């Protein structure tokens, strides 16, 4: 059984913050996998937002660098995306992904009003 469950999305105003969470259930050690957050805006492709590797190294899309922080909790098998200074362009469905697999969460909606 493999499941990813995102939470924390919502409707906020420009400049506000949100913290997204993804709880993972999977075989093997959670710590063995790279994990990522992706987002998909209406009419757009699904793009990588942030990656956190098994060793904790991180990378970010240029559009969010300096505003978003990805983290992981290997004990609780969760990843988080702390989002500051949100902009309308951040509006999208945000998805959690297990690296090297076809497993995705159901997505959580983030809407930033202007």
């Amino acid at each position: 059984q493999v499941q990813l469950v995102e939470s924390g999305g919502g409707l906020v105003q420009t400049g506000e913050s949100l913290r997204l969470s993804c709880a993972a259930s999977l075989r093997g050690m959670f710590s063995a996998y790279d994990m990522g957050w992706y987002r998909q805006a209406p009419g757009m492709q699904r793009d990588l937002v942030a990656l956190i590797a098994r060793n904790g190294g991180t990378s970010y899309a240029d559009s969010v660098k300096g505003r978003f922080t990805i983290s992981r909790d290997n004990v609780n098998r969760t990843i988080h995306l702390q989002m500051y200074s949100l902009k309308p362009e951040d509006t999208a469905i945000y998805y959690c992904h297990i690296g090297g697999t076809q497993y995705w969460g159901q997505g959580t909606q983030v809407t930033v009003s202007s």
Side-chain angles (χ1 to χ4, degrees), residues 26 28-34 53-56 72 74-75 77:
L26 72 166
M29 294 186 298
F30 174 81
S31 60
Y33 296 92
D34 296 349
R54 56 185 295 178
N55 66 1
R72 67 189 298 157
N74 289 336
V75 173
R77 295 191 169 196

Side-chain angles (χ1 to χ4, degrees), residues 82-100:
Q82 179 65 57
M83 306 184 294
Y84 293 109
S85 301
L86 283 162
K87 305 174 181 179
E89 67 190 74
D90 297 318
T91 295
I93 301 174
Y94 284 70
Y95 297 91
C96 181
H97 177 250
I98 303 175

Side-chain angles (χ1 to χ4, degrees), residues 42-59:
M44 305 294 289
Q45 67 180 11
R46 188 173 298 184
D47 292 327
L48 177 67
V49 176
L51 175 72
I52 184 161
R54 56 185 295 178
N55 66 1
T58 60
S59 62

